Amino acid sequence: MIGLVGGSDLEKILEQMGGKRALDDFDYIFSENGLVAYENGRLIGTESIQKFIGEEKLQRFINFSLNYMSKLVLPVKRGTFIEFRNGMINVCPVGRSCNQAEREQFGAYDKEHHIREIFVKTLKNEFPDLGLRFSIGGQISFDVFPDGWDKTFCLKFLEHIPKIHFFGDKIYPGENDHEIYEHSRTTGHGVTNPCETKSKIIQIISKMESGQ
């Protein structure tokens, strides 16, 4: 069985994977860390951060975040700084509508100036009572979700699978693959690109077929 888990919503994941056929190509697709879960193209579970946190607290968090970002001076700023998803909030200081060149520009700037890391520390200090986790992933944004709603959430749908191999690139503390990479139910593999992922999968299948 092959599954895919990502922090993005389903539309973005399908776009990245070549379209709706990905629902047939994968046995499982877990968008938003598994808070929206599909098995063989069929929806099997959803969760709502709005119901979990409540509208008043949610607006307080969003308003604070927008105010914070309005004061940031970056190489560029575009649009869609807050993306509200079913199970999480995606916060993007540069704006998700940036193009690829602007995305890479911000990624390099963030590595030097730690924009997202400092932002996350500020939010943790401001909202210690909301029970939120913050996960920095990709080049431009970070995800915000309730405790326990990281990528390990998808494992609840895989109780019947005895051995799970997970492949991810953001595997260090504070990054969005760390919890599932370290989880007791998974064998984690750090990778840097699709070619390396494919190579490691082939190696694992070869060992399994040879009985190692």
Side-chain angles (χ1 to χ4, degrees), residues 31-207:
S31 61
E32 302 183 39
N33 291 351
L35 301 168
V36 179
Y38 283 82
E39 179 181 11
N40 297 320
R42 181 176 61 89
L43 182 66
I44 57 173
T46 61
E47 293 287 348
S48 167
I49 191 172
Q50 181 182 10
K51 291 180 181 179
F52 187 88
I53 293 179
E55 188 61 32
E56 185 273 330
K57 292 179 180 177
L58 196 60
Q59 286 197 34
R60 186 158 55 91
F61 178 88
I62 291 173
N63 290 341
F64 180 91
S65 298
L66 288 171
N67 182 58
Y68 181 97
M69 285 186 284
S70 73
K71 299 173 184 176
L72 290 175
V73 178
L74 304 172
V76 298
K77 273 189 180 180
R78 295 300 176 252
T80 313
F81 302 99
I82 297 284
E83 185 173 86
F84 184 81
R85 302 172 182 170
N86 285 305
M88 66 178 68
I89 299 167
N90 181 263
V91 181
C92 183
V94 68
R96 294 196 64 85
S97 64
C98 64
N99 61 35
Q100 186 60 37
E102 292 162 345
R103 171 186 288 264
E104 292 173 1
Q105 183 183 28
F106 175 80
Y109 187 83
D110 185 54
K111 282 185 178 180
E112 181 180 354
H113 298 281
H114 309 289
I115 300 299
R116 291 182 292 172
E117 182 181 342
I118 295 170
F119 193 174
V120 165
K121 287 180 180 178
T122 302
L123 290 170
K124 286 180 177 179
N125 290 333
E126 184 68 22
F127 300 100
D129 58 325
L130 295 189
L132 295 174
R133 295 290 296 272
F134 301 84
S135 182
I136 296 173
Q139 293 175 298
I140 61 173
S141 65
F142 59 89
D143 295 325
V144 185
F145 44 83
D147 281 326
W149 286 22
D150 52 61
K151 286 183 179 177
T152 62
F153 191 89
C154 74
L155 297 177
K156 67 181 286 186
F157 300 103
L158 305 174
E159 296 289 345
H160 59 294
I161 299 177
K163 189 161 188 175
I164 300 169
H165 289 270
F166 172 79
F167 302 83
D169 62 336
K170 299 295 184 181
I171 61 176
Y172 298 105
E175 297 182 330
N176 65 356
D177 291 329
H178 176 70
E179 289 84 1
I180 192 168
Y181 174 81
E182 293 282 351
H183 198 275
S184 60
R185 288 196 57 220
T186 69
T187 300
H189 305 270
V191 293
T192 57
N193 56 61
C195 289
E196 184 181 7
T197 303
K198 181 178 179 180
S199 176
K200 288 192 174 185
I201 290 174
I202 291 172
Q203 291 175 20
I204 290 169
I205 292 175
S206 177
K207 288 181 178 179

